[in-house]
Amino acid sequence: ERAVPTRAFVAQREWRQLPVAPLLPSGDPTTLADALALLLPRAFAAASDAEGSGGEGQRPTAIVQGVVVELNTPVSWLYEACSHPDGFLYVVCLMPRSQRTRG
């Protein structure tokens, strides 16, 4: 399968994009959480650190086509169901209050 062109928005004018492999090296499907960890490593590292220390481990909320999507959803399925005509899967990430930058 070909890579999934993915754009993740964290603010109106701030986004990241990468082609995401549909499968992990282990052969398991790449989930939205896996893809967002590549695109937004600091956000997901902070969530993992909080989880490891017994904190809430708040991860960003992912929205695709106006719908909150579970982070364990395979990106290949999301791409087939929700990609835009320009060939990208667009994901809006609502960051937990503790990770938002002040501008």
Side-chain angles (χ1 to χ4, degrees):
E1 289 184 59
R2 71 182 197 117
V4 175
T6 307
R7 283 187 185 156
F9 288 81
V10 293
Q12 191 170 12
R13 295 185 182 153
E14 185 180 349
W15 52 272
R16 307 282 183 273
Q17 81 178 42
L18 280 176
V20 176
L23 298 175
L24 297 171
S26 66
D28 293 327
T30 301
T31 65
L32 186 55
D34 298 324
L36 293 176
L38 291 171
L39 288 157
L40 307 168
R42 279 191 273 170
F44 281 80
S48 295
D49 290 348
E51 287 172 2
S53 63
E56 292 181 22
Q58 295 180 340
R59 288 187 167 189
T61 299
I63 300 173
V64 177
Q65 296 283 356
V67 177
V68 174
V69 178
E70 294 291 328
L71 294 175
N72 63 354
T73 304
V75 291
S76 57
W77 181 88
L78 272 175
Y79 182 77
E80 291 297 322
C82 301
S83 63
H84 279 253
D86 67 359
F88 277 89
L89 175 66
Y90 289 91
V91 182
V92 174
C93 294
L94 300 178
M95 307 305 283
R97 189 174 301 276
S98 62
Q99 294 181 31
R100 292 183 191 158
T101 56
R102 296 192 186 358

